[in-house]
Amino acid sequence: MSPYALTRTLAEDATGAALRADVLHGLSSTPKTLPPKWFYDARGSDLFDEITTLPEYYPTRAEREILLARAPEIAAATGARTLVELGSGSSDKTRHLLDSFTQLTHYVPVDVSESALRGAAKLLLAEHPSLAVHALVADFTRTLALPATPGPRLVAFLGGTIGNLLPEERAAFLDSVRALLTPGDFFLLGTDLVKDEATLVAAYDDAAGVTAAFDKNVLSVVNRELGADFDLDAFRHVAVWDAEREWIEMRLRSAVALAVKIPALDLAVTFAAGEELRTEVSAKFRREGVRSELGAAGLEPVQWWTDTEGRFALSLSTVPST
């Protein structure tokens, strides 16, 4: 069995403290918001896995198509001996790369869920017994310290997750990625692309109602973890395309006027009838915008691939030699 290590950089109560802070700030703001990371308890993760199989939800299939078709090119272009995956989860996407990365010796998955990291590592080590895995229990939106591993390194951020960050958050995140890299290292980024409104809205408001259940799950998390009394039946899932900002917003709209108590925060929150709580922003991108944002962070784009229908893109960038 190849080496396996796990490093925790999050304090034991970091997740609980972050949830309390996010709920207090978001539900005291106007308009009310909650960050999308709180969708993903065990039930939320299962619901999202189901979403990725729905006919309306194209991003997962489109990105998989690119990874399967272009993995040999990515391996050849980077020569990576270490793969670092931010927000790795179950590492499903990684599997599409590993068979082509014959020179790879180290894999560093980064996720807030220790259980997800351990489960993924067990499967990967069984499939790739020569691979050394060093898992990091960490929040990729904060400053990271990577373990010492051989270069070149390829840092991957897949799934279009960067779209969940607001523009100023994206800039800070890309700066932090650049800080992890040295000349000769690479960054692989997955971005969902701008397309017609009907396709976009359908992807976030499927006919079977799975995304609606996923959206409402954030209220279940707050109820369970903070003792809140949200009535899930009082809220309706809404997906809206903001053409000016070029992003989808997922919202929960209160059907009636109501008050919610959150004992763990000693907080009472009122909702007017029709008031909306924003639970996710999912930005969509254009090639020139991705190039501009990467360039602003000191990253030089070197390759751009899309699926056959042009719905999703993978971009490869590097740190230019000084």
Side-chain angles (χ1 to χ4, degrees):
M1 181 68 72
S2 60
Y4 170 73
L6 184 141
T7 300
R8 171 178 282 277
T9 64
L10 288 178
E12 287 294 335
D13 188 44
T15 300
L19 175 63
R20 292 189 293 272
D22 285 345
V23 172
L24 179 60
H25 173 74
L27 296 187
S28 302
S29 300
T30 304
K32 297 179 176 69
T33 64
L34 286 174
K37 64 183 177 182
W38 302 117
F39 289 136
Y40 295 96
D41 63 352
R43 171 161 169 73
S45 296
D46 288 344
L47 285 168
F48 184 72
D49 286 344
E50 187 176 349
I51 287 170
T52 65
T53 69
L54 296 171
E56 297 97 331
Y57 194 79
Y58 61 85
T60 301
R61 292 189 298 277
E63 184 178 54
R64 183 187 302 118
E65 177 192 318
I66 306 168
L67 287 169
L68 290 172
R70 303 299 184 175
E73 292 178 51
I74 298 168
T78 63
R81 296 181 64 199
T82 296
L83 172 61
V84 180
E85 185 177 6
L86 306 179
S88 57
S90 63
S91 296
D92 283 341
K93 293 181 284 292
T94 309
R95 291 183 174 86
H96 303 317
L97 293 172
L98 290 181
D99 288 340
S100 297
F101 276 65
T102 55
Q103 75 280 23
L104 196 74
T105 60
H106 290 71
Y107 174 52
V108 182
V110 181
D111 203 273
V112 295
S113 171
E114 182 172 340
S115 61
L117 288 168
R118 290 189 183 278
K122 183 177 180 180
L123 291 173
L124 284 174
L125 289 170
E127 297 168 359
H128 300 274
S130 64
L131 190 66
V133 177
H134 190 138
L136 291 183
V137 184
D139 183 345
F140 63 74
T141 64
R142 302 179 184 180
T143 302
L144 289 178
L146 296 178
T149 57
R153 289 187 295 186
L154 171 63
V155 174
F157 191 44
L158 303 174
T161 307
I162 194 169
N164 294 148
L165 304 177
L166 297 173
E168 60 274 18
E169 295 170 334
R170 291 203 302 270
F173 168 75
L174 291 173
D175 285 342
S176 72
V177 169
R178 168 62 185 86
L180 297 174
L181 305 176
T182 58
D185 291 340
F186 291 84
F187 178 47
L188 183 67
L189 177 64
T191 48
D192 195 9
L193 301 179
V194 173
K195 56 190 66 65
D196 66 281
E197 180 176 354
T199 298
L200 287 165
V201 171
Y204 293 83
D205 193 11
D206 60 278
V210 182
T211 310
F214 175 70
D215 198 5
K216 290 185 180 185
N217 190 62
V218 72
L219 303 183
S220 297
V221 170
V222 177
N223 282 351
R224 183 184 65 246
E225 300 298 328
L226 302 182
D229 60 355
F230 276 102
D231 177 3
L232 274 62
D233 291 336
F235 288 85
R236 175 174 170 260
H237 165 70
V238 180
V240 178
W241 170 241
D242 186 324
E244 180 179 351
R245 295 185 174 95
E246 295 191 324
W247 68 41
I248 285 280
E249 287 193 12
M250 292 210 317
R251 307 172 185 168
L252 291 171
R253 179 180 296 158
S254 178
V256 296
L258 54 83
V260 177
K261 296 184 179 65
I262 308 176
L265 300 177
D266 192 25
L267 180 68
V269 181
T270 59
F271 286 82
E275 185 176 354
E276 294 178 340
L277 164 65
R278 189 181 74 193
T279 54
E280 181 177 272
V281 162
S282 185
K284 308 306 170 187
F285 296 87
R286 301 178 188 272
R287 183 174 185 174
E288 59 271 23
V290 174
R291 174 177 287 274
S292 175
E293 292 192 33
L294 290 170
L299 294 164
E300 181 179 297
V302 296
Q303 189 57 271
W304 173 270
W305 300 280
T306 68
D307 64 296
T308 52
E309 295 184 38
R311 300 167 297 177
F312 197 95
L314 287 183
S315 57
L316 186 66
S317 55
T318 191
V319 178
S321 299
T322 54

